[in-house]
């Protein structure tokens, strides 16, 4: 049952997630690389022209222009630039970056990756709370090259939301590495990870992104997903997400990051509660 307190708590914790993503991004990315001025000029000119074309086309008013200024200032104040960009732009960046691949499909990384999650086995179980709620999920498969060669020792980094839709290190009050782990494939390239089914994710509703979504009458949902980075020396790193069939938002993910190849096919487990989902990764050689 949802009470007002639950909703207040959700809003408070979700709001911090956007802001924390800005702090994390700053820690990870140094000042930003030098970009050649010809390229800067070309990209900046085209982006500015594209927005000017919308203004002329749509007869944008001073009231609307001032609303835009107010909103852009707020995106920065709320620390939601990484959230906004990863939700509305990263899918195109990823499309361009990965068009050449013939192996498994990638999709966006999103704002909540943290490098260096502790390495298991721990009997294949991702770090989780003793009373972690959610349906048990066994995620298994094999990592291969695109020619079918198994890749022993391939690294599988996995991170995902809990059954309330919160990510550790971004929403407060969750143990540091909860539902974040690094796993190594065996000699045959096979891996098995025990976790719980994540909940669908709602973009924080009380910050600047939420304000835009509400003002536009959009919904704020991403379908439930597992985030993965799969890597092996000599192969291109694969950053991807996997989704669950039947999720109402698989067809209208606000982040535009679902692809048909990324849907799992979970089966009920024979003797225990929960599901098994099998997914094989094929990595492109560098
Ligand atoms: C997420 O969990 C996510 O994966 C993306 C892309 C954006 C916001 C939240
Ligand atoms: Fe996510």
């Amino acid at each position: 049952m949802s009470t007002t307190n639950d909703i207040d708590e959700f809003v408070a914790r979700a709001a911090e997630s956007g802001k924390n993503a800005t702090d994390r991004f700053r820690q990870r990315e140094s000042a930003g690389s030098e970009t050649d001025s010809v390229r800067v000029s070309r990209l900046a000119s085209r982006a500015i022209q594209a927005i000017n074309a919308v203004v002329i086309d749509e007869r944008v008013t001073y009231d609307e222009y001032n609303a835009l200024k107010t909103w852009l200032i707020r995106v920065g104040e709320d620390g939601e630039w990484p959230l906004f960009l990863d939700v509305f732009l990263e899918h195109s960046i990823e499309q361009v970056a990965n068009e050449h691949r013939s192996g498994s499909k990638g999709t966006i990384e999103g704002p909540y990756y943290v490098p260096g999650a502790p390495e298991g086995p721990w009997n294949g179980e991702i770090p989780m709370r003793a009373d972690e709620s959610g349906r048990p999920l066994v995620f298994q498969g094999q990592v291969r090259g695109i020619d079918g060669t198994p890749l022993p020792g391939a690294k599988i980094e996995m991170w995902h939301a809990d059954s309330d839709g919160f990510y550790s290190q971004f929403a407060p009050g969750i143990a540091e590495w909860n539902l974040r782990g690094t796993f190594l494939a065996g000699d045959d390239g096979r891996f098995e990870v025990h976790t719980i089914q994540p909940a669908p994710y709602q973009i924080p509703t009380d910050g600047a992104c939420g304000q835009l979504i509400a003002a536009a009458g959009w919904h704020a949902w991403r379908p439930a997903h597992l985030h993965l980075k799969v890597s092996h020396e000599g192969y291109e790193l694969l950053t991807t997400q996997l989704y669950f069939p039947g999720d109402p938002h698989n067809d209208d993910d606000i982040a535009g990051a679902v692809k048909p190849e990324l849907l799992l096919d979970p089966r009920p487990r024979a003797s225990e509660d929960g599901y098994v989902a099998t997914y094989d990764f094929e990595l492109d050689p560098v």
Side-chain angles (χ1 to χ4, degrees):
M1 192 184 72
S2 237
T3 65
T4 312
N5 278 347
D6 288 340
I7 293 164
D8 288 349
E9 191 209 23
F10 172 82
V11 166
R13 298 171 81 196
E16 282 197 54
S17 296
K19 182 125 191 94
N20 287 336
T22 291
D23 300 337
R24 285 308 177 130
F25 181 77
R26 284 194 168 129
Q27 285 166 16
R28 266 176 69 197
E29 298 296 316
S30 43
S33 57
E34 284 277 307
T35 304
D36 138 50
S37 68
V38 175
R39 181 74 173 160
V40 172
S41 173
R42 181 182 168 89
L43 296 185
S45 300
R46 288 201 64 181
I48 291 166
Q49 275 165 22
I51 297 169
N52 276 278
V54 172
V55 170
I56 305 291
D57 241 40
E58 295 289 340
R59 320 302 304 161
V60 172
T61 66
Y62 264 101
D63 277 351
E64 290 166 336
Y65 177 56
N66 287 328
L68 173 65
K69 273 192 196 171
T70 304
W71 182 77
L72 288 172
I73 292 165
R74 184 172 174 197
V75 179
E77 284 170 352
D78 291 351
E80 288 195 349
W81 279 116
L83 180 67
F84 175 79
L85 292 168
D86 291 352
V87 167
F88 294 109
L89 204 61
E90 193 189 351
H91 64 92
S92 296
I93 305 287
E94 187 277 331
Q95 181 186 323
V96 172
N98 289 333
E99 239 159 23
H100 65 281
R101 291 192 190 216
S102 58
S104 298
K105 292 281 179 208
T107 191
I108 64 176
E109 176 175 308
Y112 301 143
Y113 172 63
V114 184
E119 214 174 276
W122 324 289
N123 296 320
E125 188 172 283
I126 201 166
M128 65 170 92
R129 293 163 282 199
D131 59 349
E132 194 72 50
S133 65
R135 264 335 262 290
L137 173 71
V138 179
F139 175 63
Q140 62 177 28
Q142 187 184 35
V143 185
R144 302 186 290 262
I146 52 173
D147 62 357
T149 323
L151 298 178
K155 185 161 120 181
I156 296 115
E157 291 176 87
M158 184 156 105
W159 72 104
H160 65 80
D162 66 14
S163 67
D164 292 322
F166 293 119
Y167 285 86
S168 63
Q169 302 194 40
F170 293 89
I174 307 175
E176 192 177 21
W177 295 105
N178 206 60
L179 302 178
R180 296 175 180 275
T182 301
F183 303 86
L184 298 182
D187 291 342
D188 49 3
R190 291 188 186 279
F191 63 88
E192 184 178 300
V193 180
H194 293 243
T195 186
I196 55 101
Q197 155 99 36
Y201 178 87
Q202 190 179 18
I203 304 297
T205 50
D206 66 331
C209 290
Q211 186 189 18
L212 170 64
I213 289 163
W218 301 337
H219 73 74
W221 291 96
R222 298 213 60 223
H225 54 279
L226 304 173
H227 288 273
L228 294 133
K229 282 184 184 279
V230 183
S231 57
H232 189 282
E233 212 198 310
Y235 292 82
E236 287 191 59
L237 165 71
L238 175 71
T239 299
T240 194
Q241 299 181 29
L242 296 171
Y243 303 92
F244 299 87
D247 191 298
H249 294 292
N250 283 337
D251 297 324
D252 67 349
D253 176 13
I254 189 170
V258 180
K259 304 178 185 184
E261 298 88 344
L262 300 178
L263 281 173
L264 290 166
D265 180 19
R267 305 292 168 100
R269 280 207 280 177
S271 47
E272 288 161 278
D273 185 29
Y275 304 94
V276 189
T278 304
Y279 197 88
D280 295 344
F281 296 99
E282 295 204 335
L283 302 184
D284 286 73
V286 285

